[in-house]
Amino acid sequence: MFVHKKNTTQLTMLALAISASVSPVFAEGYGLQNANREKANTSKWECKRCVIETGFNGSVGVGAAYNDIDDIHFANASGTDSDGLVGHLDADLNNKSDSGYQTTFVANKLGYDIGSARLETGRIGQYKIGIGYRGLAHYNTNNALTPYSSSGDNLYLPSNWQTGAVTSQMPTLYDDARNVELKTQRDRYLLDAVYKGSFYQADINYQHEKRQGKRTFSGNFLTNSAMLAQPIDDTTDEFGAKIYFNGKGWLIGIDSSFSQYSNDHNSMIWQNAFTPTFGAAYRGQSAVAPDNKAYRVGANAQLSGNGHQVLMYLGVASFTQDDAFLPATVNGPSPALPKASLDGKVDTTDMKLKYNSRVLRGLNIRASYDYSDKDNKTAINPYPQVITDSYYAGTANNPEYDRTKQQVKLAAKYRFNREIYLDAGYQYDHNDYSDLDRDRLRQNGVFAKVNYKISSDWSTWLKAEFSDRTGSAYNPITTTNSQSNPYLRKSYLADRERQQYQLNVSYSSATALSASANVRVSSDDYDDTLVGLTQVDTHGYDISASYLLSDDIIINAYLNQDWRDSDQAGSSNFGLPNWYVNTDEKSTLVGAGIDYRHLLDKKLDLGLEYSYSDGQSDTEVTQGLSSPYGDYFSEKHNINAFAKYQLDEKIALRLDWIFENYQDSDWLNQGLALDAIPNVLIFGDMSSDYNAHYVGFTFSYEL
């Protein structure tokens, strides 16, 4: 139940997420499969004691749980937002024949929103066919209040609704308001097959994903706005195929894919809850994500030998979209559109070239070149601009947003002795844009990393990175009705100097203890920006350890903290800066767990894990006087425990318990009622503050 956790936290203001990544390292030419066996006498290689287990075996588990859930946010931990009694199926079944055919079926929490199952059959080393299902879900809140109800593309107000100039003048607002859930559920179905020949392998796969739910949308009419629960009903189909051929020191392959996105909604139409302040704007309409398609084909090649390796890739893709346009407005006469549909098309070309070589004893070099080009072939036309579905404000041409990106990397790794090696490199990035404030961006970067194995148990490494970004003259675009401040520099295009430092120390030995610590510091300086983001400083650390008390008891603990301090300058008079913003963000993650196996004559296993996470953001605006924003935080205590008892050799009973205490707050709607803002109809206070429990029993049978 418990795993060793390292460096796995990142703050995104209100949300804390734990992520883990594993990067495989492949060595070419050193595996058993590459050994020269031509002259070996294999007649006596038969293993007398090796027994390949055949027949049918595995386990099946049926579970029932009580889910105490008033706030659906807890479902992100329990896996289902069903309140009360819920059930699920677990399975791990395998059937293997003497001739090499094998069929497996694996299921995990099937019946929950995050359940999964996979059935796979085939002959080992020759082919396999698999079908599968996986559920994915994200739960935001069920505390949002709205007077709207949905049907198809439309959001309706009650038949007796009385509009008002401001929210306080809507007499039936509180009577008509009802709770709406903001969540997203994905159901993903998979089909794939693999066939292996003597010198080739062919793969095909198909995936169908259905997505449903509701998300926040803002419907505007000039100075009035309403928060709406936009329905989500769409599907994505993806098909892929590839074939690879290989020989001694070479591999070539071709892979292709096709995807199609279909939205069940053609538009979003809602009634105006306010008394129209301009013309007869009694309803609004907004476009939704259009149906689209994508095609891609790529070729790969790999050559290796005598300590050298070359990898090449060339791929082309095309993205198309041709949904019919909606009218420019549904309020009054609609300006004429230049075409009935966009007939949009974007082509991309990608090329990668990598080279690795061991040129001298202890010295390895590597080089790579990446090229990526996005070519927007959509016709440019003048389109009418209608402000908040209310009044016509002239025309504007659709921009191209073409981009060509090139990246060059050069690096070398030199091992001085068994204890110390140095890894250093250089990177150059070049970007060409169209229809942006800058036509060209260039970035030069260098890094160096020193690894030192202090002893058989202790090791450490230190890494430093520096990069400098600059580019062509900064000329704010003029093809929009909303002109930019001439002193403004958008952060993704602005000149920037970046420094990053990281130190890691780890301990691992044949004894029971392993531990690691990591410290990191970075600084981004936007040295040529007067208005915009000017400085970002971050620092943080990770500490983790695990200790094997005995063959049956293991404990682990971890601590992570990160800080981010950013400065921004703004202008209220379209000139030099006259107000400033400082934002301090902090995240903390603490956890500990114990896993105790084989109690009571090796019949009982126990596990307990506790974690605490906290993320907060403090923002202060200074314009003569300092004005701090309100609370913006999330805090969570989580306990996850299990007990598994082996009733006999084949039957086991497992108890799972999850407890979560969660609280968050966003100053944007903290403590606000539906009519708190005169010209904005909001969802109310959507903050979460709950204690929730999940208790589940699983009965499993070993076949």
Side-chain angles (χ1 to χ4, degrees):
M1 178 178 178
F2 298 104
V3 295
H4 190 54
K5 298 180 175 65
K6 298 182 179 179
N7 322 5
T8 56
T9 304
Q10 182 178 7
L11 171 69
T12 57
M13 291 193 178
L14 268 185
L16 291 172
I18 304 174
S19 64
S21 64
V22 178
S23 300
V25 178
F26 299 97
E28 179 66 28
Y30 296 99
L32 285 175
Q33 69 275 15
N34 296 298
N36 187 350
R37 300 188 293 266
E38 294 179 358
K39 298 181 180 181
N41 182 1
T42 63
S43 60
K44 298 182 179 181
W45 282 18
E46 181 181 356
C47 179
K48 304 298 183 181
R49 297 183 179 180
C50 297
V51 178
I52 300 176
E53 187 176 348
T54 60
F56 186 72
N57 60 78
S59 63
V60 176
V62 178
Y66 180 77
N67 200 31
D68 175 21
I69 184 166
D70 293 327
D71 190 318
I72 65 169
H73 188 275
F74 177 60
N76 293 300
S78 66
T80 175
D81 64 345
S82 298
D83 189 24
L85 192 64
V86 291
H88 71 273
L89 172 69
D90 295 332
D92 187 358
L93 304 174
N94 181 67
N95 184 38
K96 186 183 295 184
S97 68
D98 295 333
S99 58
Y101 288 96
Q102 179 173 301
T103 301
T104 61
F105 176 72
V106 178
N108 181 42
K109 289 192 173 182
L110 192 60
Y112 283 17
D113 297 336
I114 59 166
S116 63
R118 180 171 175 82
L119 175 65
E120 189 175 284
T121 188
R123 188 166 187 173
I124 300 173
Q126 291 187 5
Y127 73 89
K128 66 178 180 179
I129 301 172
I131 58 174
Y133 163 80
R134 184 182 181 188
L136 301 168
H138 176 73
Y139 308 90
N140 186 356
T141 182
N142 56 343
N143 295 325
L145 292 171
T146 180
Y148 287 91
S149 57
S150 62
S151 176
D153 293 345
N154 296 275
L155 291 178
Y156 294 103
L157 289 165
S159 58
N160 63 339
W161 181 262
Q162 298 181 44
T163 61
V166 293
T167 53
S168 61
Q169 296 177 4
M170 300 173 181
T172 62
L173 174 58
Y174 283 94
D175 294 333
D176 294 327
R178 60 180 183 85
N179 288 90
V180 62
E181 294 183 346
L182 301 178
K183 67 176 185 179
T184 304
Q185 171 72 43
R186 299 172 185 261
D187 293 305
R188 184 176 294 172
Y189 302 90
L190 309 167
L191 173 64
D192 53 64
V194 177
Y195 184 83
K196 295 181 180 180
S198 58
F199 64 96
Y200 67 92
Q201 177 175 314
D203 299 6
I204 59 171
N205 60 82
Y206 169 72
Q207 175 178 294
H208 173 80
E209 181 177 288
K210 175 69 175 177
R211 186 175 63 153
Q212 293 181 305
K214 288 183 172 65
R215 61 187 167 202
T216 301
F217 177 84
S218 179
N220 303 315
F221 294 97
L222 292 179
T223 59
N224 295 327
S225 178
M227 295 178 68
L228 307 172
Q230 180 185 8
I232 303 171
D233 292 286
D234 55 29
T235 58
T236 303
D237 293 277
E238 298 181 13
F239 176 80
K242 59 184 177 182
I243 185 168
Y244 281 84
F245 301 88
N246 67 285
K248 184 178 181 180
W250 62 271
L251 180 148
I252 59 173
I254 297 176
D255 63 89
S256 61
S257 65
F258 165 76
S259 67
Q260 178 173 286
Y261 171 81
S262 300
N263 197 333
D264 291 347
H265 295 282
N266 296 314
S267 64
M268 182 177 174
I269 303 171
W270 70 96
Q271 291 180 282
N272 189 358
F274 294 87
T275 303
T277 56
F278 183 89
Y282 290 102
R283 64 181 182 137
Q285 179 174 251
S286 176
V288 295
D291 295 354
N292 57 80
K293 299 177 181 179
Y295 311 81
R296 184 188 62 84
V297 62
N300 298 271
Q302 177 179 322
L303 305 173
S304 60
N306 298 322
H308 302 273
Q309 185 183 65
V310 178
L311 297 94
M312 295 170 284
Y313 171 78
L314 176 63
V316 294
S318 183
F319 305 83
T320 61
Q321 187 269 106
D322 197 26
D323 261 11
F325 281 138
L326 299 174
T329 179
V330 293
N331 294 306
S334 177
L337 294 166
K339 299 176 64 179
S341 65
L342 179 67
D343 192 19
K345 183 179 182 182
V346 176
D347 292 338
T348 64
T349 302
D350 293 283
M351 181 175 68
K352 299 179 186 295
L353 179 63
K354 294 184 179 181
Y355 172 74
N356 297 290
S357 176
R358 183 180 180 183
V359 293
L360 297 171
R361 181 179 177 86
L363 177 62
N364 294 75
I365 64 171
R366 56 190 186 273
S368 67
Y369 171 73
D370 290 6
Y371 172 87
S372 178
D373 179 71
K374 185 185 77 171
D375 183 14
N376 189 348
K377 295 186 176 180
T378 306
I380 298 176
N381 290 292
Y383 287 92
Q385 305 297 294
V386 179
I387 306 301
T388 64
D389 213 358
S390 299
Y391 72 92
Y392 176 58
T395 61
N397 291 336
N398 52 306
E400 288 183 327
Y401 293 134
D402 288 343
R403 176 182 180 180
T404 300
K405 178 181 180 179
Q406 300 179 77
Q407 184 184 81
V408 177
K409 293 181 180 179
L410 300 171
K413 178 181 176 181
Y414 182 73
R415 182 173 292 279
F416 295 93
N417 50 50
R418 292 184 176 181
E419 289 76 31
I420 303 175
Y421 74 80
L422 172 67
D423 192 9
Y426 166 77
Q427 178 175 315
Y428 174 73
D429 292 272
H430 187 102
N431 289 272
D432 292 308
Y433 302 99
S434 67
D435 292 319
L436 291 182
D437 298 320
R438 274 186 142 167
D439 298 327
R440 185 169 57 256
L441 272 185
R442 300 181 299 272
Q443 179 169 298
N444 292 276
V446 293
F447 80 91
K449 181 181 179 182
V450 179
N451 277 65
Y452 178 38
K453 189 172 181 60
I454 303 170
S455 67
S456 59
D457 298 336
W458 289 91
S459 63
T460 183
W461 55 262
L462 174 65
K463 185 176 182 180
E465 298 176 77
F466 175 80
S467 64
D468 179 67
R469 186 176 70 190
T470 185
S472 59
Y474 198 98
N475 298 309
I477 57 175
T478 58
T479 56
T480 175
N481 291 327
S482 300
Q483 299 297 312
S484 296
N485 185 328
Y487 297 103
L488 172 66
R489 297 293 181 266
K490 298 171 183 176
S491 60
Y492 68 96
L493 295 174
D495 289 357
R496 183 194 66 195
E497 290 186 356
R498 169 173 289 177
Q499 301 179 61
Q500 296 175 289
Y501 305 94
Q502 194 167 357
L503 173 65
N504 178 274
V505 179
S506 60
Y507 175 84
S508 179
S509 69
T511 62
L513 176 65
S514 64
S516 68
N518 184 287
V519 179
R520 55 194 170 274
V521 178
S522 70
S523 177
D524 290 350
D525 184 11
Y526 297 86
D527 51 353
D528 194 39
T529 295
L530 293 176
V531 177
L533 189 64
T534 58
Q535 183 79 29
V536 179
D537 295 317
T538 64
H539 60 282
Y541 68 91
D542 305 298
I543 301 173
S544 61
S546 65
Y547 186 70
L548 188 65
L549 293 174
S550 68
D551 291 340
D552 298 326
I553 306 174
I554 184 172
I555 60 174
N556 65 76
Y558 52 90
L559 169 63
N560 167 277
Q561 285 192 296
D562 282 286
W563 293 265
R564 185 178 189 269
D565 181 32
S566 60
D567 295 317
Q568 179 179 337
S571 174
S572 59
N573 57 12
F574 211 70
L576 291 170
N578 59 7
W579 57 266
Y580 303 89
V581 177
N582 174 259
T583 302
D584 288 326
E585 297 172 278
K586 177 184 177 182
S587 70
T588 300
L589 177 64
V590 182
I594 182 170
D595 202 0
Y596 197 171
R597 306 278 178 168
H598 301 153
L599 288 81
L600 302 180
D601 291 333
K602 297 186 177 182
K603 292 184 177 182
L604 179 64
D605 296 338
L606 299 174
L608 175 66
E609 184 173 20
Y610 166 78
S611 65
Y612 167 79
S613 59
D614 174 65
Q616 54 186 312
S617 176
D618 296 315
T619 300
E620 187 171 71
V621 180
T622 301
Q623 189 173 13
L625 299 175
S626 295
S627 302
Y629 286 2
D631 292 332
Y632 197 25
F633 71 89
S634 67
E635 183 180 51
K636 180 173 69 175
H637 298 265
N638 182 278
I639 298 175
N640 199 319
F642 82 91
K644 182 180 179 181
Y645 186 77
Q646 201 73 32
L647 298 174
D648 60 28
E649 291 183 357
K650 292 183 175 294
I651 302 174
L653 182 65
R654 176 177 171 127
L655 167 68
D656 286 279
W657 174 54
I658 301 174
F659 168 76
E660 186 168 278
N661 170 265
Y662 180 86
Q663 184 180 15
D664 66 26
S665 185
D666 183 351
W667 61 269
L668 286 172
N669 61 16
Q670 183 182 18
L672 295 184
L674 297 176
D675 57 356
I677 305 175
N679 64 328
V680 182
L681 180 57
I682 65 174
F683 283 142
D685 189 346
M686 294 191 295
S687 300
S688 293
D689 186 359
Y690 63 81
N691 293 311
H693 297 264
Y694 168 95
V695 180
F697 293 90
T698 303
F699 178 84
S700 61
Y701 181 75
E702 193 83 18
L703 301 176

